[in-house]
Amino acid sequence: MPEPRTRSDDTGPGDSDTRANPQTLALGVIGNGSIAALIDGFARIVWCCLPRFDSDASFCALLSPQREGGDWIIELEHLERAEQEYLPNTAVLVTRLYDRHDNAIEITDFAPRHRTRGRFYHPVMLARRIRPIQGNPRIRILLRPLCDYGARQPETTSGSNHLRFLLSDVTQRLTTDVAVPLIERGLFFHLDRPAHLVFGPDETLATSPADFIHGSLEYTLAYWRDWVRYLSIPYEWQEPVIRAAITLKLCQYEATGAIIAALTTSIPEAPSTSRNWDYRYCWLRDAAFVVRALNRLGATRSMEEYIRYVFNIVSAEGDHEVGPVFGITFERELPEREAEGLAGYRGMGPVRIGNDAWRQRQNDVYGSVVLASAQLFFDQRLENRGDARTFQRLESMGRMALRMAEEPDAGLWEFRGRAAVHTYSAAMCWAACDRLAHIATELGLGDRARYWHDEAVALHERISKRVWNERLGHFVDAYDGEHLDASLLLLADIGFVRGRDPRFIATVDAIGKVLGRGDYLFRYIAPDDFGTPETSFNICTFWYIEALAATGRKRRARQMFERMLAQRNPLGLLSEDIAPGTGEHWGNFPQTYSLVGLVQTAMRLSRRWEEEL
């Protein structure tokens, strides 16, 4: 398997310079299912919300706080270059910093996650180990969280071996074997032995920081390596798939099973655009894509946790409309506001907290819930498989799908200023009925199987008549429409048409011609509520690659896929969008949609193990 991607010869800040470099999305992610942190190429923690994914961003330097701080810097004096890598098959990140005088340090970052006493240990905690690896390095440690999205500094207290930070939503304690005044005052000191820093709950550690980090690191490494060992990975592109899978796992909130769309808010989709949103919530559609991707890799526990989350929502809604997005602890309302203390990514505000998409109607959600749940009824590996009672709960989604399939909605692109009967939404409602028929058959419920089969056939016929444009010779984005959007590429994936159906092939060709920009694909090009899109949408590019393969053009698909892999950041991750002209990453990060696309496409295109061994 290829070695982890490394970053080397990066230029660092000058002597004693703690100002952030121009922001980029060349970031790594550490996490444990409770929290996650983004770390730049010089081991600076620049984004982390505490005590959970959608809480106040205590570390918010990524979005340019108006006051100093919002980061956790381990600064090497006279820094010259850096290199960085994940330890293979883990979420443990290692950064090495080198100065101009042949001194160097190594920083190991992780969030503890492992089994203990019959359950998972995943505290709201970041652990850092700093080791001198060359010469006589001088460093300083600047731990500078902020409160209320950069608006104010936290109150702090100190003890003989710890610092306490009274943050907006939680009190965190730094326990360390570094002299506390050195950290309080941000002083440089010679690092002549390993240093250990544990930033976690306001509790006394039962052992020394060194012993705690040593043991916790070993257990965490073992957990991730064991998790990866049981993935059903493809023969080709193993390293990219493993990194994507681990990162998808890091985007699931363990306490409820919710899967967020991304860890950040308000990274704009293009330079100086108002297209910037808060993605730290659970879209039922996006989460369903993540579940399906992890299922294909054999990581079915994420599905089981997510289904519990969904059923908590669905049970409360009954036979009523279901919103497209929820908070990670089931919040139905996510009112949108702006964070005045943050100037935004590269100063490109506003920074939004909350997401008004919760107010929208997006009718594909019913199909998303059913498709995410379907494997429960067929996978014999599962301890708690779906049964007739589970099926009855899912039927409410089918009834809503039938009711809403041909009603106007905002669509999966969440248009804020217009509505239509979108092809993808209608097709996903059909998919809900179709899968319910298959599930009922599996359960031996003949009457229900016939009912859902008949409803699916009738709905399919109605949709097909309205979304095929005879004059243009391809499917269109909405009933009686004339435009294209990339979601039409999924019609074969969900089984609405066959991959070799001439109508689908014609639609794929039209999309490549109209929405393609070299090796990248746009969602759509027609102006929307915010003007004309400027960047390609990574998941759409992957959808197009998969559609090429489905229509028999596998060579072209493999070429495009290899080029997309080359666009990953130095640690193998992807944001939401890419600027076709520059290859620069834009949009929230890391984007689960994009990583799902990578996994799904690799699984489709890879040569088979039995063909190679």
Side-chain angles (χ1 to χ4, degrees), residues 421-612:
V421 181
H422 289 96
T423 302
Y424 178 74
S425 296
M428 283 295 286
C429 288
W430 164 84
C433 301
D434 177 75
R435 299 317 192 269
L436 286 170
H438 286 289
I439 294 169
T441 300
E442 175 70 12
L443 295 175
L445 304 173
D447 289 345
R448 303 310 297 159
R450 283 188 293 274
Y451 171 79
W452 287 112
H453 171 77
D454 292 345
E455 292 289 357
V457 169
L459 180 57
H460 189 283
E461 183 177 356
R462 295 197 302 273
I463 296 170
S464 298
K465 288 179 180 177
R466 300 290 295 277
V467 303
W468 173 256
N469 188 308
E470 191 66 40
R471 181 179 62 82
L472 296 175
H474 57 69
F475 289 114
V476 288
D477 64 337
Y479 270 27
D480 307 321
E482 294 195 348
H483 298 292
L484 290 162
D485 83 54
S487 66
L488 298 170
L489 296 167
L490 294 173
L491 294 180
D493 180 67
I494 65 174
F496 189 83
V497 295
R498 293 177 295 104
R500 298 302 179 96
D501 187 318
R503 298 173 301 168
F504 182 65
I505 294 172
T507 303
V508 172
D509 290 344
I511 286 174
K513 182 178 180 180
V514 174
L515 303 184
R517 299 294 184 272
D519 286 321
Y520 306 105
L521 205 79
F522 279 58
R523 289 173 289 183
Y524 49 85
I525 58 172
D528 61 14
D529 320 330
F530 301 93
T532 303
E534 301 175 49
T535 51
S536 65
F537 206 65
N538 290 330
I539 186 67
C540 297
T541 303
F542 287 121
W543 288 345
Y544 181 65
I545 295 170
E546 282 202 82
L548 288 176
T551 55
R553 289 167 282 188
K554 198 167 183 178
R555 181 176 180 182
R556 168 67 173 150
R558 289 176 64 90
Q559 291 171 344
M560 286 189 67
F561 184 59
E562 291 282 4
R563 293 189 184 108
M564 278 299 290
L565 290 181
Q567 295 302 316
R568 295 176 300 146
N569 81 2
L571 288 165
L573 304 180
L574 286 165
S575 64
E576 182 179 45
D577 308 273
I578 288 178
T582 64
E584 188 171 12
H585 289 220
W586 291 93
N588 282 309
F589 177 92
Q591 179 73 12
T592 56
Y593 253 166
S594 301
L595 298 173
V596 163
L598 187 158
V599 170
Q600 297 275 53
T601 309
M603 297 291 281
R604 177 181 284 273
L605 295 179
S606 174
R607 297 192 300 273
R608 298 168 64 86
W609 284 89
E610 54 267 32
E611 294 172 352
E612 303 298 326

Side-chain angles (χ1 to χ4, degrees), residues 167-479:
L167 304 177
S168 298
D169 301 317
V170 68
T171 297
Q172 291 284 110
R173 178 185 294 218
L174 176 72
T175 304
T176 180
D177 47 18
V178 176
V180 168
L182 297 179
I183 300 175
E184 281 186 301
R185 301 179 59 188
L187 301 177
F188 276 99
F189 62 94
H190 285 287
L191 184 70
D192 57 1
R193 70 194 73 179
H196 305 85
L197 303 107
V198 180
F199 187 68
D202 186 22
E203 303 166 356
T204 302
L205 287 183
T207 184
S208 71
D211 288 344
F212 177 84
I213 285 183
H214 175 76
S216 189
L217 177 59
E218 291 303 310
Y219 288 137
T220 300
L221 289 170
Y223 165 80
W224 285 112
R225 288 168 177 162
D226 191 59
W227 187 81
V228 168
R229 183 178 298 117
Y230 292 100
L231 294 179
S232 301
I233 59 175
Y235 176 78
E236 297 180 271
W237 308 300
Q238 294 181 35
E239 185 272 331
V241 169
I242 290 171
R243 181 54 47 205
I246 290 174
T247 310
L248 290 174
K249 181 66 174 173
L250 294 179
C251 290
Q252 184 167 40
Y253 184 58
E254 186 91 8
T256 63
I259 300 171
I260 60 174
L263 292 171
T264 58
T265 177
S266 303
I267 309 295
E269 295 179 14
S272 302
T273 179
S274 58
R275 298 174 188 269
N276 57 353
W277 317 110
D278 191 347
Y279 276 15
R280 298 171 301 155
Y281 308 109
C282 183
W283 272 259
L284 301 187
R285 173 195 316 111
D286 301 48
F289 276 108
V290 172
V291 164
R292 292 176 66 196
L294 290 177
N295 281 352
R296 293 194 65 182
L297 293 170
T300 55
R301 187 171 183 271
S302 292
M303 172 187 63
E304 295 176 275
E305 293 171 347
Y306 174 66
I307 295 306
R308 284 196 294 271
Y309 171 83
V310 168
F311 281 173
N312 271 295
I313 291 171
V314 170
S315 296
E317 299 294 341
D319 282 4
H320 299 285
E321 289 191 46
V322 176
V325 56
F326 294 83
I328 61 176
T329 49
F330 316 116
E331 296 85 353
R332 286 164 174 74
E333 298 183 3
L334 306 170
E336 203 170 284
R337 62 182 177 89
E338 294 181 6
E340 301 296 335
L342 300 174
Y345 181 72
R346 301 187 188 174
M348 300 174 187
V351 172
R352 305 178 200 271
I353 309 303
N355 196 304
D356 277 345
W358 71 271
R359 305 178 188 273
Q360 293 185 348
R361 171 185 288 172
Q362 296 176 28
N363 294 331
D364 65 295
V365 297
Y366 309 108
S368 295
V369 170
V370 175
L371 264 63
S373 308
Q375 191 163 332
L376 283 174
F377 300 88
F378 297 93
D379 193 334
Q380 296 188 21
R381 297 172 298 172
L382 302 180
E383 183 176 347
N384 298 306
R385 295 181 62 192
D387 55 17
R389 185 176 179 182
T390 310
F391 172 73
Q392 289 175 355
R393 298 172 78 177
L394 276 185
E395 284 195 294
S396 66
M397 293 293 95
R399 290 190 291 270
M400 287 304 303
L402 285 174
R403 185 187 307 173
M404 305 305 297
E406 298 174 277
E407 293 293 324
D409 73 346
L412 83 164
W413 306 129
E414 301 186 341
F415 296 117
R416 293 200 171 192
R418 66 174 188 257
V421 181
H422 289 96
T423 302
Y424 178 74
S425 296
M428 283 295 286
C429 288
W430 164 84
C433 301
D434 177 75
R435 299 317 192 269
L436 286 170
H438 286 289
I439 294 169
T441 300
E442 175 70 12
L443 295 175
L445 304 173
D447 289 345
R448 303 310 297 159
R450 283 188 293 274
Y451 171 79
W452 287 112
H453 171 77
D454 292 345
E455 292 289 357
V457 169
L459 180 57
H460 189 283
E461 183 177 356
R462 295 197 302 273
I463 296 170
S464 298
K465 288 179 180 177
R466 300 290 295 277
V467 303
W468 173 256
N469 188 308
E470 191 66 40
R471 181 179 62 82
L472 296 175
H474 57 69
F475 289 114
V476 288
D477 64 337
Y479 270 27

Side-chain angles (χ1 to χ4, degrees), residues 68-89:
E68 186 177 46
D71 51 17
W72 186 355
I73 299 172
I74 297 170
E75 182 179 352
L76 176 64
E77 191 175 39
H78 308 309
L79 175 64
E80 182 177 56
R81 65 185 178 89
E83 61 186 31
Q84 192 173 53
E85 65 186 5
Y86 281 107
L87 294 182
N89 299 344

